[in-house]
Amino acid sequence: MPLQLPPLYPIIDTQINPRTCELLIEEFAAAGLTWVQLRDKNANSRELFKEAQRLIELVSEHQLTVIVNDRSDISWLANAGGVHLGQEDLPIEDARKIMGRGKIIGVSTHNLKQAVEAQESSADYVAIGPVFPTSSKKNPDPVLTRDELTEIRRHVTKPLVAIGGITVENAGSLFSLGINSVAVIRDLLCARDISSQIQKYLKFF
């Protein structure tokens, strides 16, 4: 059975987040969100492990799945719900050996070739981006055009997550292309009113 992706996929980037994780999880859970990704590009292994453990503890009373960015080993050790891999992380099939069949693996792709490779792998979902200019990543790949996204959707039957520069103002255009989910960082974390911002996204669905 294909993985059911939540339409709104929040990412807690610890380098951007101005609030406590406790507050964020309460807001996410109250709005009925089901996934959250932990992203910390600057943490060492010990720090990321502790952050993952803490986040998993926070979501234990809620129906939220924690996905750890980049690190299959940390995700498995912390008993997270899954891992999100970049192009420079462990290959998908090697990560699967660590995670096992019961865990979620997503992979970031930046063009049609990478997306098709992910489609043919054991990854559960395929992320594609950046779909808009983004400041959340150093040296981002070129922004994908609408035609490129349409072509990727034609070749990829697995759930597609769009990422990169997504805001309430531009998210609607992605769903019209058949994107299943939008991964959002800054537009959620830095919103003046997170609850209201979540509801604006959920109106698309």
Side-chain angles (χ1 to χ4, degrees):
M1 182 176 179
L3 179 70
Q4 294 298 309
L5 269 179
L8 179 58
Y9 184 175
I11 298 177
I12 299 178
D13 188 321
T14 58
Q15 306 305 312
I16 295 173
N17 181 29
R19 296 177 167 89
T20 65
C21 284
E22 287 88 345
L23 185 147
L24 290 177
I25 294 305
E26 289 298 328
E27 294 281 10
F28 295 164
L33 303 188
T34 56
W35 284 24
V36 60
Q37 184 182 135
L38 173 63
R39 183 178 189 261
D40 190 340
K41 296 291 188 179
N42 294 338
N44 61 36
S45 296
R46 184 184 294 266
E47 291 168 340
L48 184 60
F49 181 50
K50 288 182 177 179
E51 289 172 3
Q53 286 183 309
R54 176 59 179 151
L55 190 58
I56 290 166
E57 179 183 334
L58 289 174
V59 306
S60 62
E61 298 179 4
H62 307 290
Q63 299 299 311
L64 275 164
T65 296
V66 174
I67 306 294
V68 176
N69 186 265
D70 292 345
R71 296 290 299 273
S72 306
D73 54 342
I74 299 295
S75 178
W76 182 80
L77 285 168
N79 196 29
V83 66
H84 183 93
L85 301 171
Q87 287 294 311
E88 297 179 356
D89 297 325
L90 276 180
I92 296 167
E93 304 313 326
D94 292 315
R96 180 62 73 191
K97 292 175 184 176
I98 294 172
M99 299 299 295
R101 290 289 164 184
K103 299 293 186 177
I104 298 164
I105 294 182
V107 58
S108 286
T109 65
H110 311 293
N111 53 53
L112 177 60
K113 179 177 180 293
Q114 292 174 357
V116 170
E117 288 174 354
Q119 166 69 27
E120 295 172 350
S121 74
S122 68
D124 297 290
Y125 71 86
V126 180
I128 185 68
V131 293
F132 300 109
T134 177
S135 59
S136 298
K137 186 175 182 180
K138 296 178 181 178
N139 304 315
D141 287 86
V143 174
L144 291 155
T145 67
R146 192 174 179 87
D147 286 344
E148 288 174 316
L149 291 173
T150 300
E151 187 70 4
I152 289 167
R153 178 72 285 180
R154 284 182 54 223
H155 286 83
V156 175
T157 59
K158 290 182 177 180
L160 272 180
V161 180
I163 189 168
I166 295 171
T167 67
V168 166
E169 289 72 27
N170 61 30
S173 64
L174 297 170
F175 292 106
S176 68
L177 297 176
I179 297 293
N180 302 100
S181 176
V182 291
V184 185
I185 304 176
R186 195 179 300 273
D187 199 50
L188 274 184
L189 301 185
C190 300
R192 181 174 298 179
D193 183 335
I194 294 178
S195 177
S196 175
Q197 194 77 339
I198 291 172
Q199 293 308 314
K200 290 176 183 177
Y201 276 100
L202 295 182
K203 284 180 181 178
F204 290 117
F205 322 121

